[in-house]
Amino acid sequence: MNNKTSLNAIDHAVTQARNAYLSFKRWNVRQRAALMHQVADEIEALGPELITTARAETHLPEARLTGEKARTVFQWRSYADALALVLDARIDTADSMRTPPKPDLRKTSQGLGVVAVFGASNFPFAFSTAGGDTASAIAAGCAVIAKTHPGHPETSAIMAAAITEGIRKAGGPEGLFAAVASEGPEGGQYLVVHPAVKAVAFTGSFSGGKALSDLAAKRPEPIPVFAEMGSVNPVFLLPGMLENAAADVAKQYAASLTLGVGQFCTNPGLLFAPDHPSLPAFLEALRAEISGIPAAPMLHGGIAVAYHRNKTAILAHEDVSVLAEVVEQLPDSHGNPVVATTTARAFAANPGLSHEVFGPFGLVITYKHAEELLSIIQQLDGQLTATLLAKPEELEAAQALVDVLTEKCGRLLLNGFPTGVEVCYAMQHGGPFPATTDSRFTSVGPDAIKRFLRPVSYQNWPDELLPDELKNANPLGVWRTVNGILNNAAVSV
Amino acid sequence: MNNKTSLNAIDHAVTQARNAYLSFKRWNVRQRAALMHQVADEIEALGPELITTARAETHLPEARLTGEKARTVFQWRSYADALALVLDARIDTADSMRTPPKPDLRKTSQGLGVVAVFGASNFPFAFSTAGGDTASAIAAGCAVIAKTHPGHPETSAIMAAAITEGIRKAGGPEGLFAAVASEGPEGGQYLVVHPAVKAVAFTGSFSGGKALSDLAAKRPEPIPVFAEMGSVNPVFLLPGMLENAAADVAKQYAASLTLGVGQFCTNPGLLFAPDHPSLPAFLEALRAEISGIPAAPMLHGGIAVAYHRNKTAILAHEDVSVLAEVVEQLPDSHGNPVVATTTARAFAANPGLSHEVFGPFGLVITYKHAEELLSIIQQLDGQLTATLLAKPEELEAAQALVDVLTEKCGRLLLNGFPTGVEVCYAMQHGGPFPATTDSRFTSVGPDAIKRFLRPVSYQNWPDELLPDELKNANPLGVWRTVNGILNNAAVSV
């Protein structure tokens, strides 16, 4: 696992995955769900070695990793349980009396084929080898080749073995899942252009995601790529809330900004605060909060180097001032919390100030009035999230702001912070470009399965040969739109 | 309308559409549905001038155009009525007792923004200016700029006026819909790269669709393109059916192949027939049927020229023989029905034989046994449809064939013909590349709306400021997945 997989071996894995997919395709959603629960059981049963290995490879604390393991298991289980809902089964029964006669048409969804999954460094369990992309692709009925992240090869090997064992115990086809490693970009590029690969999921940097997406678009047969490429997740503090709760907001913002050494794609890197009599008190409270949070080791050396480089570039700007900076004698591998300030005018004039700094770095942008704020928001790139900190009575007047924000993000929060990404049906973890390559999909929650499904219609097909979810008797009890009406009953024809 | 629209005028239309979209965004689905029914009323009320104009511009017969008008109206109405179902509203209520507390999350779908629609020549109503792409984009809450097809400019002008009038009567924002004309490709290209355009829908040739798709992928902000680029819609005749019903199959195949002078993207251009004692009788019956169907004028001169060129190229092949050819003294503007034969071996060796010939041209490919057929199918490109003509008892043994066919097409038919494309929930009009650019979507049926929707989540948002479909009381009565359970009731929190 931690050795580089040769291109020949990758080709072999893809060929095997293609055959496994064709066999897995005959499994109904209940059988697929059982296989996923078996995989979840295997991950759940992994001993302390998993956490120890991941700690050594990622420097993430034990409590965080224990929680992330539970989240990963929950993803496999909840996506399994959601299968019947995401299929969007549709039945339109025949009408032989119509002119011309109306045929019987029934539509369900099937997997796209072999999916290449590129894991992230910052979630070694939940967004990596055994993460949400793998779980949702298997849920869709696809086979998966996971390109493991070089930051945690041993962790990936343990997870890959658990998935393989779960598939084996469930009687799944050999090769339905495989993990491949590659030091440089060649292995990943080879996967993306392989003719048998039909979709790609990626979580990581803009440059990485965009490169894979461009490569996929240039194939003789272009394939869909869902790349989640991060975000600066702006937070908008309105005057009423600033006046009312400056200290609370400062405390919570500092906590969200520095959680996990700021290594989240939903890290709130920008905070817009009004030029208001309470602003100095807020800034002082934020300075005090940040100063009390120690530096900590980042995921790996490359991330720490990039953090210091990107942070320094922004701090070098003449209109940017440091508000709080934790300076300790620490190795370069650590990330130290830093908050700086600038003005809306300077921010608007310098696009570089809106770039993501992956790590515990926050930029507070002071704005003069609502119009200036609105004008700045219109310039912002697409984001995973946007957050309003406002008193309820301020919100109604902010409708224009809300309208623009929904153009810019996938998830809109009120009086909370975006770093927690709940795994549930109503989660949208995906936003307008460049946050992701396709804002029509999410990579968290059961709807993530939809990225890897395509509909197939059967016209005048015999009941006994239809996929189970389309049969008259509805043996799986799934929800179906029958002649325009949603229900989970049998169809009488 | 029939004059070329300048790039300045296109830019103005897009800017106005962008503003109209932002205003339309505040309309709930019930209001949007009412606007769509108003547009349907206007189209329905159009007098005989519409049919007369379309006949003159497209040479399509009156009965066909009358039917297509009704289909167009039905699309606007049925997509309007489906809105509540395609939103996929999801609600996960808060749980403050959980550690950490679970937030309230609610997700609905909103329009992508301004959509550029490129109409087809062969359906001047249902797949053009007022066609399914425009109807589904407006249903999604988008604004539309329709690039009218130069083959029927006056028809487009009449339809554009009806849409504009419907929007006006419903109180919709000015500029929500606009039609632009352009002789060359510049106008269309300008639309696709315009920063305010957020999605593209296209129906037409592979070269046209692929060019627009490539252009969209190269934008600084790539945007989704749904291009439906046609198909050869293979038909597979199994031995039992051939033996039982040679004459019936020949009659129905000839009718489907020549319907509308073969100018359908679902035209069954290839028929695979077994080398069986009944084959000569089938071929003779097909020859007789085709010989009795007169040539007829095609949509426009360019299509007729391409038909004759593409047909001649295939007939020139040494392994292809003419079975039936209607030869009359007719102008070049007419398409004459032609059926040719070849062998599976020759077909496999010559990729050119699988290219679409848009018009009433069919190629019968004789195969020796099921294995040869399966091997050929594996070589086929993605298709909109695939059709099996088989006795029920033959079907079970053909499961391997069916498994491969669902990899190759969006709609699978049994003992029917693909030229009728029912407008209903269960229709899938879209297939693997190169039939379309994204097999995950359909361009016919209410699910076509999904192409232009993106989900937005609201976290801890006040009930009164949520979109109506997410409010506790469920004032619109839409179906929602509430904590994993589909229902259309109010939520008590």
Side-chain angles (χ1 to χ4, degrees):
Chain A
M1 265 304 304
N2 48 347
N3 297 318
K4 189 171 160 181
T5 315
S6 71
L7 298 188
N8 267 346
I10 295 178
D11 181 58
H12 177 73
V14 173
T15 303
Q16 210 179 18
R18 172 75 187 164
N19 291 332
Y21 155 75
L22 288 172
S23 158
F24 195 45
K25 206 178 141 171
R26 297 191 182 184
W27 290 42
N28 71 28
V29 291
R30 192 175 289 172
Q31 294 166 317
R32 292 215 300 267
L35 178 141
M36 295 186 67
H37 279 292
Q38 186 68 56
V39 170
D41 288 348
E42 296 300 319
I43 297 173
E44 206 159 32
L46 288 171
E49 184 206 353
L50 175 73
I51 306 292
T52 315
T53 305
R55 281 194 69 180
E57 289 188 323
T58 66
H59 314 110
L60 291 170
E62 183 170 346
R64 149 70 195 275
L65 288 168
T66 305
E68 191 182 326
K69 181 187 168 194
R71 176 195 181 95
T72 305
V73 169
F74 181 72
Q75 287 177 162
W76 283 85
R77 297 203 192 283
S78 62
Y79 297 3
D81 296 341
L83 269 175
L85 269 170
V86 296
L87 287 179
D88 261 355
R90 315 275 201 202
I91 296 176
D92 288 287
T93 55
D95 180 358
S96 57
M97 307 300 287
R98 201 191 64 174
T99 313
K102 186 177 174 192
D104 183 282
L105 270 158
R106 300 182 185 221
K107 180 168 70 173
T108 183
S109 302
Q110 72 168 47
L112 289 173
V114 179
V115 177
V117 167
F118 290 76
S121 66
N122 60 337
F123 279 90
F125 306 154
F127 284 85
S128 188
T129 306
D133 287 340
T134 298
S136 51
I138 298 272
C142 295
V144 169
I145 305 293
K147 157 70 178 68
T148 61
H149 196 282
H152 47 262
E154 296 297 335
T155 306
S156 284
I158 297 172
M159 282 298 197
I163 298 171
T164 304
E165 181 62 6
I167 291 171
R168 191 192 64 77
K169 282 189 184 167
E174 199 183 334
L176 186 65
F177 169 86
V180 301
S182 144
E183 279 299 315
E186 298 78 19
Q189 289 168 356
Y190 181 81
L191 263 181
V192 171
V193 301
H194 196 294
V197 170
K198 298 298 181 188
V200 176
F202 168 92
T203 309
S205 68
F206 175 76
S207 58
K210 186 67 165 67
L212 295 185
S213 175
D214 287 347
L215 199 58
K218 282 183 206 130
R219 288 169 49 124
E221 176 198 2
I223 56 174
V225 174
F226 187 89
E228 192 267 83
M229 303 177 288
S231 179
V232 286
N233 304 291
V235 175
F236 305 93
L237 178 55
L238 299 194
M241 181 57 89
L242 172 60
E243 190 166 1
N244 258 33
D248 272 1
V249 168
K251 188 184 178 76
Q252 290 164 27
Y253 178 65
S256 178
L257 185 71
T258 59
L259 186 70
V261 204
Q263 299 166 115
F264 291 110
C265 45
T266 52
N267 194 52
L270 302 179
L271 186 142
F272 292 82
D275 201 350
H276 177 278
S278 302
L279 181 64
F282 168 72
L283 292 176
E284 172 50 27
L286 183 56
R287 192 200 57 72
E289 290 291 341
I290 291 291
S291 308
I293 299 170
M298 298 191 81
L299 289 159
H300 57 80
I303 285 193
V305 167
Y307 174 64
H308 293 297
R309 185 184 59 230
N310 295 335
K311 183 185 66 171
T312 303
I314 289 190
L315 294 178
H317 197 280
E318 58 178 348
D319 294 317
V320 172
S321 316
V322 171
L323 172 70
E325 184 168 18
V326 176
V327 189
E328 298 169 77
Q329 281 299 340
L330 282 172
D332 288 346
S333 60
H334 282 49
N336 60 327
V338 176
V339 171
T341 60
T342 191
T343 62
R345 178 194 286 230
F347 183 82
N350 297 283
L353 296 182
S354 64
H355 290 174
E356 183 179 8
V357 178
F358 192 75
F361 176 80
L363 184 62
V364 176
I365 302 114
T366 55
Y367 65 90
K368 294 209 177 300
H369 41 67
E371 291 68 31
E372 188 179 37
L373 185 60
L374 198 59
S375 144
I376 284 213
I377 292 175
Q378 276 157 340
Q379 287 183 41
L380 283 177
D381 277 339
Q383 305 287 338
L384 291 169
T385 73
T387 301
L388 270 181
L389 303 176
K391 289 163 70 179
E393 58 268 32
E394 286 185 283
L395 214 51
E396 198 131 9
Q399 192 55 47
L401 188 67
V402 172
D403 279 346
V404 178
L405 285 180
T406 53
E407 294 300 295
K408 297 289 184 182
C409 75
R411 178 165 55 116
L412 194 56
L413 296 92
L414 179 66
N415 297 336
F417 285 91
T419 27
V421 182
E422 193 71 30
V423 180
C424 65
Y425 283 97
M427 173 52 62
Q428 174 61 12
H429 189 69
F433 187 89
T436 68
T437 44
D438 195 339
S439 67
R440 294 174 297 178
F441 297 96
T442 178
S443 61
V444 174
D447 284 332
I449 302 169
K450 292 181 183 174
R451 297 175 294 169
F452 309 115
L453 288 174
R454 70 178 181 85
V456 178
S457 287
Y458 295 82
Q459 184 166 328
N460 290 337
W461 212 251
D463 191 65
E464 64 276 16
L465 297 180
L466 282 168
D468 288 344
E469 63 270 25
L470 297 180
K471 290 187 160 102
N472 286 328
N474 196 11
L476 305 177
V478 306
W479 284 87
R480 317 186 290 190
T481 305
V482 181
N483 297 323
I485 310 292
L486 253 176
N487 69 79
N488 59 358
V491 170
S492 52
V493 287
Chain B
M1 264 307 304
N2 49 346
N3 296 319
K4 189 172 160 182
T5 316
S6 72
L7 298 187
N8 268 347
I10 296 179
D11 181 58
H12 178 72
V14 173
T15 303
Q16 211 180 16
R18 171 77 187 163
N19 292 332
Y21 155 74
L22 289 171
S23 158
F24 194 45
K25 203 178 144 171
R26 296 191 182 185
W27 289 42
N28 71 29
V29 291
R30 193 175 289 173
Q31 294 165 318
R32 293 216 299 268
L35 178 140
M36 294 184 67
H37 279 291
Q38 186 68 57
V39 170
D41 289 347
E42 296 300 320
I43 297 172
E44 206 158 33
L46 287 171
E49 184 206 353
L50 175 72
I51 306 291
T52 315
T53 306
R55 280 194 69 178
E57 288 187 326
T58 67
H59 315 110
L60 291 170
E62 183 168 348
R64 148 72 193 272
L65 288 168
T66 305
E68 190 181 327
K69 181 186 169 195
R71 177 194 181 97
T72 305
V73 169
F74 181 71
Q75 287 177 164
W76 283 85
R77 296 205 193 282
S78 63
Y79 297 2
D81 296 341
L83 269 174
L85 268 172
V86 296
L87 286 178
D88 259 354
R90 312 276 199 203
I91 297 178
D92 288 285
T93 56
D95 179 359
S96 59
M97 307 302 286
R98 200 194 63 174
T99 312
K102 187 180 176 189
D104 183 282
L105 271 158
R106 301 182 185 222
K107 181 168 71 173
T108 183
S109 302
Q110 71 169 45
L112 288 172
V114 179
V115 176
V117 168
F118 291 76
S121 66
N122 60 337
F123 280 89
F125 306 154
F127 284 84
S128 186
T129 306
D133 289 339
T134 298
S136 52
I138 299 271
C142 295
V144 169
I145 306 291
K147 155 74 177 62
T148 60
H149 197 281
H152 47 262
E154 296 297 336
T155 305
S156 284
I158 296 172
M159 282 297 195
I163 298 171
T164 303
E165 182 61 5
I167 291 172
R168 192 194 63 76
K169 281 190 184 165
E174 199 182 334
L176 185 65
F177 169 86
V180 301
S182 144
E183 280 297 318
E186 299 78 21
Q189 289 168 357
Y190 181 82
L191 263 180
V192 171
V193 301
H194 197 293
V197 170
K198 299 298 182 190
V200 176
F202 169 91
T203 308
S205 68
F206 176 78
S207 58
K210 185 66 166 67
L212 295 184
S213 176
D214 287 347
L215 199 59
K218 281 184 206 130
R219 291 169 45 124
E221 177 198 2
I223 56 173
V225 174
F226 187 88
E228 193 265 83
M229 303 178 287
S231 181
V232 285
N233 304 292
V235 176
F236 305 94
L237 177 56
L238 299 195
M241 181 60 90
L242 172 60
E243 191 166 359
N244 257 32
D248 273 2
V249 168
K251 188 183 180 77
Q252 291 164 27
Y253 178 64
S256 178
L257 184 71
T258 58
L259 186 71
V261 204
Q263 300 167 115
F264 292 110
C265 46
T266 52
N267 194 52
L270 302 180
L271 186 142
F272 292 83
D275 200 351
H276 178 277
S278 302
L279 182 64
F282 168 72
L283 292 177
E284 172 51 28
L286 183 56
R287 193 200 57 71
E289 289 291 340
I290 291 291
S291 308
I293 300 170
M298 298 192 80
L299 289 157
H300 57 80
I303 285 192
V305 167
Y307 174 63
H308 294 296
R309 185 183 58 228
N310 296 333
K311 184 185 63 172
T312 304
I314 289 190
L315 293 179
H317 197 283
E318 56 176 348
D319 294 317
V320 172
S321 317
V322 172
L323 173 71
E325 184 167 16
V326 176
V327 190
E328 301 168 77
Q329 280 299 340
L330 282 170
D332 289 345
S333 60
H334 282 49
N336 60 328
V338 178
V339 170
T341 60
T342 190
T343 62
R345 179 195 286 232
F347 184 82
N350 296 284
L353 297 182
S354 64
H355 290 175
E356 183 179 8
V357 177
F358 192 75
F361 176 79
L363 184 62
V364 176
I365 302 115
T366 54
Y367 64 91
K368 294 210 176 297
H369 42 66
E371 291 67 34
E372 187 179 37
L373 184 60
L374 197 59
S375 144
I376 284 212
I377 292 174
Q378 277 157 341
Q379 286 182 41
L380 283 177
D381 278 340
Q383 306 287 337
L384 292 169
T385 72
T387 300
L388 270 182
L389 304 177
K391 288 164 69 181
E393 58 269 31
E394 287 186 283
L395 214 50
E396 199 132 8
Q399 192 55 46
L401 188 67
V402 173
D403 279 346
V404 178
L405 285 180
T406 53
E407 295 300 294
K408 296 290 182 182
C409 76
R411 178 166 53 116
L412 193 57
L413 296 91
L414 179 65
N415 298 336
F417 284 92
T419 29
V421 182
E422 193 70 31
V423 180
C424 65
Y425 282 97
M427 174 52 62
Q428 174 62 12
H429 190 68
F433 187 88
T436 69
T437 45
D438 195 339
S439 66
R440 295 174 297 177
F441 297 96
T442 178
S443 61
V444 174
D447 284 332
I449 302 169
K450 292 181 180 174
R451 297 175 294 169
F452 309 115
L453 289 173
R454 70 179 180 86
V456 178
S457 286
Y458 295 83
Q459 184 165 329
N460 290 335
W461 212 252
D463 191 65
E464 64 277 16
L465 298 180
L466 282 168
D468 289 344
E469 63 270 25
L470 297 180
K471 288 187 161 102
N472 287 328
N474 196 11
L476 305 177
V478 306
W479 284 87
R480 319 186 289 190
T481 305
V482 181
N483 298 321
I485 310 292
L486 254 176
N487 69 80
N488 59 357
V491 170
S492 52
V493 286

